[in-house]
């Protein structure tokens, strides 16, 4: 049987992090409903009006204990930096800083199921498509770097076959050069 236990080896990993401006009241509302289920014991509070888009490319992942080859995956996550407060006799007291990633999209089924079942991470299967087609048609215009597509739940509940639909597209815009 395949045993997925440490130590793991990761090589050729790249990560890009993009801060995205967000509404602090919306983040507070989301955190209150998503994380703060026992506010008398523990509370999480966003403290900056940003959500972080994290794009990871795991070039090679392997088990060090067994020479069974390697797999790769790409992952897109949204993260919220948080203040971790513990309940106290005089009210919530600062405990530490935290980071929650309530939405994680992966393009590898093993990563999705292991992440969910073993670690409890909210991973969803997605199609992550790099693209250069816009660049071919217009080399001076914006270029789509990648796109995240997920299956729609509405179709599945209506009895229809769900298809992948774009959720997020990231574009790189050309900056003005010296000759422009």
């Amino acid at each position: 049987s395949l045993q997925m236990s440490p130590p793991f080896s990761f090589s050729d990993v790249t990560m890009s992090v993009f801060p995205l401006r967000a509404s602090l009241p919306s983040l507070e509302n989301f955190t209150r409903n998503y994380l703060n289920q026992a506010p008398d014991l523990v509370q999480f509070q966003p403290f900056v009006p940003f959500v972080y888009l994290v794009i990871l490319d795991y070039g090679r992942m392997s088990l060090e204990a067994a020479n069974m080859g390697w797999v790769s995956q790409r992952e897109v996550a949204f993260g919220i930096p948080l203040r971790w407060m513990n309940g106290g006799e005089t009210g919530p007291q600062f405990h530490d800083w935290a980071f929650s990633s309530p939405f994680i999209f992966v393009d590898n089924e093993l990563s999705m199921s292991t992440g969910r079942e073993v670690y409890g991470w909210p991973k969803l299967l997605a199609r992550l498509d790099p693209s250069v087609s816009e660049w071919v048609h217009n080399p001076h215009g914006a270029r789509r770097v990648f796109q995240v597509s997920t299956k729609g739940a509405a179709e599945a509940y209506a009895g229809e076959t769900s298809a992948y639909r774009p959720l997020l597209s990231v574009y790189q815009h050309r900056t003005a050069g010296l000759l422009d």
Side-chain angles (χ1 to χ4, degrees):
S1 69
L2 292 175
Q3 184 176 1
M4 300 293 285
S5 58
F8 300 108
S9 175
F10 296 89
S11 62
D12 302 324
V13 176
T14 58
M15 178 171 68
S16 299
V17 179
F18 301 94
L20 306 175
R21 187 170 296 283
S23 160
L24 197 53
S26 294
L27 290 175
E28 289 167 349
N29 186 45
F30 177 81
T31 304
R32 183 174 42 257
N33 292 320
Y34 182 76
L35 293 173
N36 294 337
Q37 302 303 311
D40 293 339
L41 299 174
V42 64
Q43 290 182 29
F44 295 96
Q45 304 168 346
F47 61 95
V48 292
F50 286 96
V51 170
Y52 290 87
L53 170 63
V54 181
I55 303 168
L56 286 152
D57 184 349
Y58 294 93
R60 290 176 172 244
M61 300 183 297
S62 61
L63 293 172
E64 289 185 6
N67 187 12
M68 299 174 61
W70 54 272
V71 296
S72 65
Q73 84 161 35
R74 292 173 296 163
E75 180 173 297
V76 174
F78 292 91
I80 305 169
L82 300 165
R83 187 180 295 123
W84 177 357
M85 309 294 283
N86 282 341
E89 293 178 13
T90 60
Q93 303 293 316
F94 177 81
H95 176 72
D96 206 345
W97 302 107
F99 193 82
S100 176
S101 293
F103 305 104
I104 304 172
F105 302 95
V106 296
D107 66 353
N108 180 301
E109 288 187 35
L110 180 60
S111 172
M112 180 195 67
S113 60
T114 302
R116 281 181 176 183
E117 295 173 23
V118 176
Y119 299 106
W121 293 331
K123 290 190 172 189
L124 297 169
L125 190 61
R127 208 174 64 208
L128 307 175
D129 300 318
S131 175
V132 294
S133 62
E134 286 86 0
W135 179 83
V136 171
H137 296 297
N138 181 6
H140 297 290
R143 180 176 71 92
R144 189 176 81 204
V145 179
F146 76 92
Q147 180 170 284
V148 178
S149 300
T150 60
K151 289 189 175 184
E155 293 87 2
Y157 288 115
E160 299 176 18
T161 304
S162 57
Y164 281 100
R165 295 199 175 148
L167 171 73
L168 169 74
S169 295
V170 175
Y171 287 85
Q172 177 183 34
H173 292 276
R174 184 173 178 264
T175 59
L178 293 174
L179 303 175
D180 290 340

